[in-house]
Amino acid sequence: MAISVTGRGSNFDGIVTSTVVGNSFTPNTGDFILAVVGVDNQRDVSSVSQTSASSWDCIFEQIDQTAINNNTRFALWGGFVKGLTPTDDTITAALSGSARPGTLLIQVSGADVSGTVSNAIIQKVNATGYNQQTSLALGTLAALTGGNTLLTLGQNLDQSKRFTPQSNFTEFQDESLGQFRLGSFYSTTNETAPKLNYWDTYFRYTGGICVEIKAAAGSTTVVMTIGESLAVGAA
């Protein structure tokens, strides 16, 4: 079975201590669910869970949490759906205190869910910066073998400024959410130097993460890049 990736919506809240990640949906048993959360007000994402905590039997683990600047954090959490008959539900992210979160929810089918979430992440790179450039290099990945699929997710904390796809990538999500703008991209072309491209050149705080997701037997490999940028003067 080849890996498939589906965007399951986005969400933005005002001042809250927890938030729904994306939209409600019904996953498949064996799906890898990824929650992308950007948080301001010097807060962290303290936990992520299924809202009803029942039919998905999905335990989330933190994959990464990065400080973009002294005010903003950017987090990636993941969990496997192990329930035999999952029903329609939502995912909730709890915060360490009051903040304005922006979120994306991603459904990955065909990933290796035989172990733990940390075992499903083969490699990851991340970077932060404050620059006047047209892109942010996230690091260097080991070479991927043929048939791999790349997935890039971008988060921009100035809702009027968006990322643009890296060469050979196609955008499948682009959402303006309060002070956040969230975007997602995918590619079937191998890429060992992931980066986040900007649609123009201006000063900003930027951060991103790229993870390679281990595929189940017979599937391709997914490399996921998550990014966040904060324009000067943004909250």
Side-chain angles (χ1 to χ4, degrees):
M1 174 176 84
I3 275 187
S4 65
V5 181
T6 304
R8 289 300 181 181
S10 56
N11 187 38
F12 169 76
D13 275 321
I15 303 298
V16 295
T17 57
S18 66
T19 185
V20 171
V21 180
N23 298 326
S24 65
F25 77 106
T26 303
N28 303 305
T29 300
D31 281 347
F32 190 10
I33 308 301
L34 295 164
V36 183
V37 187
V39 187
D40 67 359
N41 205 28
Q42 300 180 340
R43 304 304 187 187
D44 296 319
V45 178
S46 54
S47 66
V48 175
S49 60
Q50 184 191 355
T51 303
S52 73
S54 57
S55 68
W56 294 15
D57 189 21
C58 189
I59 305 300
F60 283 84
E61 299 177 26
Q62 179 180 296
I63 297 171
D64 191 82
Q65 187 152 253
T66 300
I68 305 303
N69 61 8
N70 62 2
N71 185 59
T72 307
R73 306 292 184 267
F74 184 60
L76 173 64
W77 290 65
F80 303 148
V81 178
K82 295 188 175 182
L84 296 180
T85 56
T87 59
D88 186 80
D89 205 352
T90 57
I91 295 298
T92 297
L95 312 179
S96 61
S98 298
R100 296 177 297 172
T103 68
L104 277 179
L105 186 62
I106 307 295
Q107 175 189 12
V108 180
S109 299
D112 185 347
V113 298
S114 60
T116 64
V117 170
S118 58
N119 290 336
I121 305 300
I122 298 174
Q123 57 180 329
K124 68 178 181 179
V125 292
N126 58 28
T128 61
Y130 171 67
N131 53 14
Q132 187 179 22
Q133 303 292 336
T134 57
S135 65
L136 173 70
L138 299 178
T140 302
L141 293 171
L144 304 174
T145 56
N148 295 339
T149 299
L150 305 177
L151 176 64
T152 300
L153 307 177
Q155 183 169 357
N156 189 333
L157 296 189
D158 181 345
Q159 78 278 11
S160 67
K161 311 294 186 182
R162 57 176 291 181
F163 294 112
T164 58
Q166 187 173 358
S167 179
N168 298 315
F169 281 73
T170 300
E171 183 179 78
F172 74 94
Q173 284 177 308
D174 178 24
E175 302 288 345
S176 178
L177 304 162
Q179 80 271 32
F180 297 139
R181 191 175 196 101
L182 307 172
S184 304
F185 316 91
Y186 72 90
S187 175
T188 57
T189 302
N190 182 52
E191 179 58 68
T192 59
K195 62 182 180 179
L196 297 171
N197 288 332
Y198 313 139
W199 78 288
D200 64 356
T201 302
Y202 68 105
F203 284 107
R204 73 188 73 206
Y205 290 99
T206 303
I209 177 175
C210 181
V211 297
E212 179 183 352
I213 299 174
K214 184 179 181 181
S219 300
T220 60
T221 298
V222 170
V223 173
M224 173 172 290
T225 306
I226 314 238
E228 174 175 64
S229 71
L230 176 61
V232 174

